[in-house]
Each structure stands twice: as C-alpha cells, then as structure tokens.
C-alpha cells in the first residue's frame, strides 16, 4: 500500500483519531502506520478497504475522494473503535487541503473575493484574541516538530500540528494553516524515504509557518491581511485583453499531477498563464500540450497558443497572473507576434540585473503568495559549451554586460526533452540565442532553461516538449574559446553556508544535533572575517540555545526551552535566506 492508493483525509479527522488514542497506543502508532503500509488495498466506489490481517478489514468511506468524518473510518478488529488501526490509516493517507491546488487547472467556478462570506466583513486592524491563540497553537506545534526533528516527529507530533492547522483555518487564517499542512506533508515524505523530498524544502516550510505565526500577534493593517491569507485564489475582473503567446512548458509535480502551462504576454509586457494540470504524471504532461485551451471559444491547443495570440473579453486574473476560465470569459484566436517583434521584443530589452531583482521578489522563500510577479528572465546569450559541476553538467552562456550564466534543465525526467536539448545545444558553442529561463537563486547567475529561439532564426522551441535535431544547429565556430571543463566559483564563494548548514542540520535530527556540536568559534571567526558579524552572532546564539538545559535546585533537568530555540532558529533561517537573495542579486550585476 502507498499513500497514493488511499483517499485524502481531512486534518481534523486525523487529529481527532490520534487524540482519542490511549497513551499506550500512541506509542505504537508509528509502528502501526509502517505495518499498515505493507497491507493490500481494494477500491470499491467511494470505499477503500485495507486488509489488516486475514480476518480483519479496515474501511475508509470517502465520498468525493475525501474522508471528512472520523466515523467514516471503521475497523473490524475487537478493539474498534478505540483501536490503533483507524488512526494509523488516517496518518498514512494524504492530508486533504480545502484550498485549490497551486498548480492545478483553471477553476471555472472561481469566485471573486467579495463573494466569499469571510471577506464580506471589513477585517479589523489587529488580530482577534482567538486568532492570536490559534497562531500560538501553530507556533507551539511547529516548534515541537523542530525540537524533535524529522526522526522524532512521528504521527503524534504531526497530529498536533494538524489540529493546530484546523483551528487556524476555523479562525480564518488560511495562510498559516496551509503552511502547517505543507510541513506535515514534507515530514511524511521525509519519513517515508520519498526520493523527491529535499531538506531545504522542509527548512523553508518550517520557517514560513513559524514566521507567519510569530508575526500574527503584532501585525496590523495590510501586513495582517497578508499574514491571514486567502482561503481561495481570488480572480479579479480585468476587462478585455490582447495576448501574445510566448511558450509552453510541461508541469510535473511530486504529487502525481501533470500537464502544461502556457505563458502569454499583454501589450504592456504583463505576463499571464493558462494552465491544464490534473492527476496523471509525465504522460499527461506530454498529451496536454495538444489539448485545446480551456478559455472561451478558442480552438487553439496549448502548443499552438505558445506561438499565436488571443483576444479575451471579460477576463479574470489571479494575483499570480493565472487567467480564469469562468462562464463569462470570451476568447477568440488572434495573430501572434515573434519574439523579435513588438510588443514581445521589449521583454528582452530590460537589463538582466533588473530582471533578476524583480524575479527574486517573487521567488523569495517567504514572499507573500498574493504579491504577484514572475520568476522568468528574458536574455540574449551566446553559448560557450558544457561545464561540469558537483551536481552535474550545465550549459555556460554569456549575456549582455559580461555576465556568465549557467543554464540547467528545468526537469530531469527522461520522458521530457529538456536534458536532450540542453546536451545538443552544448555542442554548438558560439551560437547566439534568445532564451527564456526561470531564475534559480544561487550565488552565481543561474537559470532553468525553458524556451529559446530556433538556432536557424525561424520560430521558437519549447525545450520541454519540442526536440531539436543536430541538423538544426549551425556548424560550431572554431574561433570560439571553449568553456572551461569545470565551472569555477571564484567570486561566488561565501562562508554563509556555515550558518545555512547548521540551520538545515536541525531539521533532520532536531535540537540534539546542534546541542552536541561544542565549540563553533572557528566557524564564527570565518564569518566575521568575511564581513558577516550578524551571521556569526546568530550561529553562536543558535548553538548556545540548543545546548542550554537548566536544572532545578535538586539538580534535575528542567524541560527544554522549545520556544526560545525555535526563535533563534527562525532568526538564523530568515537571515540566511535574505543574505542569499542579496548575493544572488549582486551576482547579476554587470562585471
């Protein structure tokens, strides 16, 4: 059995079932989840049956694919309903999120913010006592997860965070609730050995939920509105739009969803997207490119829209530029524009450093979800060749201003064309291309390559969907100096990683991992010599907080200061992220 075979379970259901267990059964819960994962599963309509053993079945009734009540999970064992099996099934299943999928299809029933009950009443300038209490509960639960680390944050700790997330959502705090659910999802992926899990992702999620909950008590006005977030993505009317296709990229998520996202631009340079993402993985992503765009009466496919145009009336747009597909939207096919023609040509006229600064504001780890903006860069480059890095190979290119950019694949899935196209382009140093890439925050200029002009100068290439041939490439110019075999990082090195690795080290093993480090004065000296005295102070305070344990008058250890440690860790994580973004922006400045 895998989590994908089970229906989604509402967070409050999981929390209730775990809370109802006796202390003895809670100790056995993690083992029960592991044991249940080895049992066979059968589907019969809205009911999923797990064979606990030869005589006992566990049933999950999930109308619409979601278990919404604790009574919908039943077990046939003698201890039911007070058995551990019901809670184990809920903990093993994916968590249901009432909010729409971030990369999901356009919602034809998307409503305006003013039509939702919780937005019709003018929000006060400060958080209510109930909201502050809910945020404090999320903080405490997330701090406990940080204290224990991935290895110690089992089903019980996850259930506590799910309960806090549910309480936050009831108090109209969808942003902090969604962040808490993201932490639970990543924790489960880490503990299950999911190959798509990355520690950096859990670091960001934990810092986001802790930071949002921490600021809730003191924020007011627009800051408080941003911290509260929105329960649904708002689509605002935008009148009539004349759109020009740019390119189409495949989208494959770790949750098994697949599809495409087509980027279009308006006459003023604003970027919009039209998506079609649903369960199906990479196979669906390849097929969706040739499906009709679900926008008005247009008969264009996504692949065709990336090279054509649209005239839209009654358009609705989300803060991140997604075009809604409601009943009032009308769209007809119109003439597109080449990348070298107005209005698209203006996108490549903005200096790379300015584009990078704008992209960083939208790709920041802790950016406001409703802030909008794009993470795309539009550059004219000259290819230099392939270089090797510790994490693999990338394509080196030079752009205006003397900036050398590393171009990497946007997705390593062998079914997509990204990798093969990049390797083929690397065999033609000296070729000049007009490219579109997604900013990859790093200490050196780095982009995930998404689309480029055709090497022959005719048309464009969607590098994830279209496949270049060797005949499409010009003959390499022997006068072009080849790229170095290894990409040096001189000038891009910073000892900030000394702080970043301690922040990341806490997440897998918890507070104990830092408490046993001992003296870190050598690391702090290196940070100070590099002009980072704040980083040195944060590192010292973080390690001291991890090792500090007070004793009472009889010499017995007192409970650890979980809140104090979480505060020091949060300060270090947010500082490291801010400095990394500043160094990334500086790397894009002309030499």
């Amino acid at each position: 059995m895998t989590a994908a075979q089970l229906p989604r379970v509402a967070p409050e259901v999981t929390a209730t079932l775990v809370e109802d267990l006796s202390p003895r059964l809670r100790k056995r819960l993690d083992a029960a989840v592991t044991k249940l994962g080895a049992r066979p599963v059968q589907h019969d309509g809205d009911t999923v049956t797990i064979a606990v053993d030869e005589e006992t079945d566990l049933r999950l009734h999930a109308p619409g694919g979601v278990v919404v009540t604790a009574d919908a999970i039943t077990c046939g064992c003698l201890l039911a309903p007070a058995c551990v099996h019901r809670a184990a099934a809920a903990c093993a299943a994916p968590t249901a999120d009432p909010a729409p999928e971030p990369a999901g299809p356009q919602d034809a029933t998307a409503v305006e913010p003013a039509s939702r009950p919780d937005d019709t009443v003018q929000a006060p300038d400060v958080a209510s006592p109930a909201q502050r209490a809910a945020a404090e509960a999320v903080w405490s639960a997330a701090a406990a997860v940080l204290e224990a680390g991935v290895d110690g944050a089992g089903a019980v700790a996850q259930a506590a965070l799910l309960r806090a997330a549910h309480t936050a959502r009831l108090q109209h705090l969808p942003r902090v609730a969604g962040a808490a659910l993201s932490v639970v999802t990543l924790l489960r992926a880490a503990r299950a050995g999911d190959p798509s899990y990355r520690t950096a992702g859990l670091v960001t999620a934990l810092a986001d939920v802790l930071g949002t909950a921490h600021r809730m008590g003191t924020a007011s006005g627009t800051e408080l509105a941003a911290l509260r977030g929105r329960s649904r993505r708002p689509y605002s009317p935008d009148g009539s739009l004349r759109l020009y296709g740019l390119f189409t990229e495949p989208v494959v998520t770790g949750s098994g969803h697949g599809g495409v996202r087509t980027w279009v631009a308006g006459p003023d340079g604003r970027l919009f997207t039209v998506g079609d993402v649903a369960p199906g993985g990479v196979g669906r992503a390849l097929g969706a490119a040739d499906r009709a765009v679900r926008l008005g009466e247009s008969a264009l496919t996504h692949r065709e829209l990336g090279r054509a145009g649209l005239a839209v009336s009654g358009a609705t747009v989300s803060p991140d530029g997604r075009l809604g597909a409601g009943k009032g939207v009308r769209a007809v096919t119109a003439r597109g524009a080449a990348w070298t023609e107005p209005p698209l040509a203006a996108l490549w006229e903005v200096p790379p450093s300015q584009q990078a600064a704008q992209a960083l504001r939208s790709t920041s780890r802790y950016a406001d979800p409703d802030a909008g903006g794009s993470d795309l860069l539009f550059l004219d480059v000259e290819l230099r060749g392939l270089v090797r890095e510790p994490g693999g190979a990338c394509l080196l290119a030079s752009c205006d201003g003397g900036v050398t950019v590393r171009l990497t694949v946007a997705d390593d899935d062998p079914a997509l064309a990204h990798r093969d196209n990049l390797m083929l382009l690397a065999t033609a140093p000296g070729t000049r291309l007009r490219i579109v890439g997604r900013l990859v925050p790093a200490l050196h200029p780095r982009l995930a390559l998404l689309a480029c002009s055709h090497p022959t100068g005719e048309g464009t290439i969607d590098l994830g969907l279209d496949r270049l041939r060797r005949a499409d490439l010009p003959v390499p110019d022997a006068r072009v100096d080849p790229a170095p075999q290894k990409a040096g990082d001189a000038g891009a090195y910073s000892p900030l990683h000394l702080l970043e690795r301690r922040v990341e080290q806490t997440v897998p093993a918890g507070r104990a991992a830092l408490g046993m480090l001992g003296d870190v004065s050598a690391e702090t000296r290196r940070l100070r010599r590099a002009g980072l005295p704040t980083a040195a102070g944060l590192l010292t305070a973080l390690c001291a907080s991890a090792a500090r344990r007070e004793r009472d008058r009889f010499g017995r250890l007192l409970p650890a200061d979980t809140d104090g440690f979480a505060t020091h860790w949060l300060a270090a994580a947010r500082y490291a992220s801010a400095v990394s973004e500043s160094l990334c922006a500086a790397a894009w400045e002309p030499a």
Side-chain angles (χ1 to χ4, degrees):
M1 180 194 78
T2 63
Q5 295 177 285
L6 299 179
R8 294 183 175 271
V9 179
E12 63 271 21
V13 172
T14 304
T16 299
L17 291 174
V18 174
E19 290 166 358
D20 289 345
L21 292 177
S22 65
R24 180 179 63 87
L25 291 180
R26 289 189 188 186
K27 295 179 181 179
R28 298 171 51 189
L29 182 56
D30 289 327
V33 172
T34 303
K35 183 177 179 181
L36 207 62
R39 304 304 302 168
V41 176
Q42 291 183 349
H43 292 260
D44 183 11
D46 291 336
T47 302
V48 176
T49 303
I50 305 173
V52 178
D53 54 38
E54 296 180 356
E55 301 178 354
T56 306
D57 287 339
L58 178 67
R59 291 182 174 84
L60 294 83
H61 182 58
V66 179
V67 177
V68 295
T69 63
D71 294 337
I73 303 179
T74 59
C75 183
C77 73
L78 296 177
L79 295 178
C83 62
V84 73
H85 303 130
R86 298 170 66 221
C91 292
T95 301
D97 187 355
E101 288 288 338
Q106 300 299 323
D107 185 3
T109 62
V111 297
E112 302 304 324
S115 65
R116 293 185 287 111
D118 58 339
D119 282 347
T120 56
V121 180
Q122 183 66 31
D125 290 335
V126 296
S128 66
Q131 288 179 330
R132 290 197 295 270
E136 289 173 1
V138 172
W139 166 276
S140 298
V145 168
L146 181 66
E147 176 85 13
V150 171
D151 296 337
V156 175
Q158 295 168 25
L161 191 53
L162 289 176
R163 171 62 70 192
H166 176 61
T167 303
R169 190 172 294 278
L170 292 179
Q171 295 301 326
H172 308 294
L173 301 175
R175 180 176 175 180
V176 69
L181 295 183
S182 297
V183 170
V184 173
T185 301
L186 290 170
L187 277 174
R188 291 178 176 178
R191 293 175 64 85
D194 189 333
S196 65
Y197 166 78
R198 298 292 183 272
T199 300
L202 185 52
V203 169
T204 300
L206 270 171
D208 186 26
V209 69
L210 287 169
T212 306
H214 180 70
R215 292 160 57 199
M216 190 65 63
T218 57
S220 61
T222 56
E223 181 188 6
L224 179 59
L227 292 176
R228 286 195 180 107
R230 298 179 183 271
S231 57
R232 298 190 65 179
R233 182 182 297 110
Y235 283 81
S236 304
D238 208 340
S240 298
L241 296 174
R242 178 66 168 90
L243 303 175
Y244 300 86
L246 279 167
F247 69 96
T248 299
E249 63 170 320
V251 177
V252 182
T253 70
S255 60
H257 289 69
V260 292
R261 182 189 298 114
T262 300
W263 290 82
V264 295
D268 58 354
R270 278 198 303 164
L271 299 181
F272 305 89
T273 59
V274 183
D276 182 2
V277 180
V282 68
R284 190 183 186 283
L286 295 173
D290 296 313
R291 290 191 175 95
V293 175
R294 293 182 291 175
L295 193 67
E297 300 81 16
S298 171
L300 292 174
T301 66
H302 281 272
R303 195 189 298 268
E304 293 169 342
L305 175 59
R307 296 169 174 83
L310 278 180
V312 184
S313 62
T316 58
V317 183
S318 71
D320 60 355
R322 301 190 187 204
L323 291 171
K327 295 180 180 179
V329 179
R330 300 288 182 267
V332 294
T333 304
R335 177 185 176 277
W339 286 4
T340 54
E341 299 175 353
L344 298 185
L347 295 172
W348 279 265
E349 295 174 0
V350 181
S353 59
Q354 184 178 336
Q355 293 188 52
Q358 294 172 348
L360 272 173
R361 285 194 288 270
S362 63
T363 60
S364 173
R365 298 179 187 178
Y366 313 110
D368 180 1
D370 290 337
S374 166
D375 57 357
L376 300 184
L377 269 69
F378 303 84
L379 304 177
D380 289 308
V381 302
E382 179 179 339
L383 304 183
R384 294 184 55 194
L386 202 66
V387 294
R388 291 193 299 271
E389 293 184 322
C394 68
L395 177 58
L396 214 61
S398 300
C399 67
D400 296 339
V403 177
T404 300
V405 185
R406 291 171 171 86
L407 305 177
T408 63
V409 295
D411 194 313
D412 262 323
D413 195 304
L416 301 177
H418 287 296
R419 173 64 64 180
D420 293 340
N421 285 334
L422 188 77
M423 294 297 105
L424 198 57
L425 289 173
T427 64
T431 303
R432 293 195 63 85
L433 294 175
R434 180 158 278 192
I435 67 170
V436 183
R438 176 167 288 116
L439 178 69
V440 179
L443 300 183
H444 48 259
R446 195 176 191 89
L447 292 180
L449 194 57
L450 299 173
C452 70
S453 58
H454 199 284
T456 62
E458 299 293 331
T460 60
I461 299 293
D462 298 333
L463 291 170
L465 300 170
D466 305 327
R467 290 190 179 272
L468 284 167
R469 297 174 299 176
R470 190 167 295 277
D472 296 327
L473 301 178
V475 177
D477 190 346
R479 294 171 299 174
V480 177
D481 293 332
Q485 290 300 303
K486 293 186 179 181
D489 286 338
Y493 172 79
S494 169
L496 183 66
H497 72 277
L498 298 174
L499 176 63
E500 290 177 324
R501 71 177 180 181
R502 299 309 182 193
V503 169
E504 290 195 6
Q505 189 177 6
T506 308
V507 172
R511 173 185 184 142
L514 293 186
M516 296 184 294
L517 282 179
D519 186 20
V520 293
S521 57
E523 297 178 4
T524 58
R525 282 196 298 270
R526 290 179 61 186
L527 289 168
R528 287 193 172 90
R529 284 198 299 267
L532 297 172
T534 303
L538 288 171
L539 177 59
T540 301
L542 176 63
C543 294
S545 176
R548 185 181 302 117
R549 290 296 302 272
E550 302 293 340
R551 295 178 181 270
D552 62 15
R553 65 182 63 185
F554 300 106
R556 296 171 298 191
L557 282 175
L558 295 173
D561 183 9
T562 303
D563 290 344
F565 176 71
T567 301
H568 286 293
W569 182 88
L570 175 62
R574 297 297 292 263
Y575 171 85
S577 174
V579 174
S580 293
E581 292 169 6
S582 297
L583 292 174
C584 178
W588 283 91
E589 293 293 338

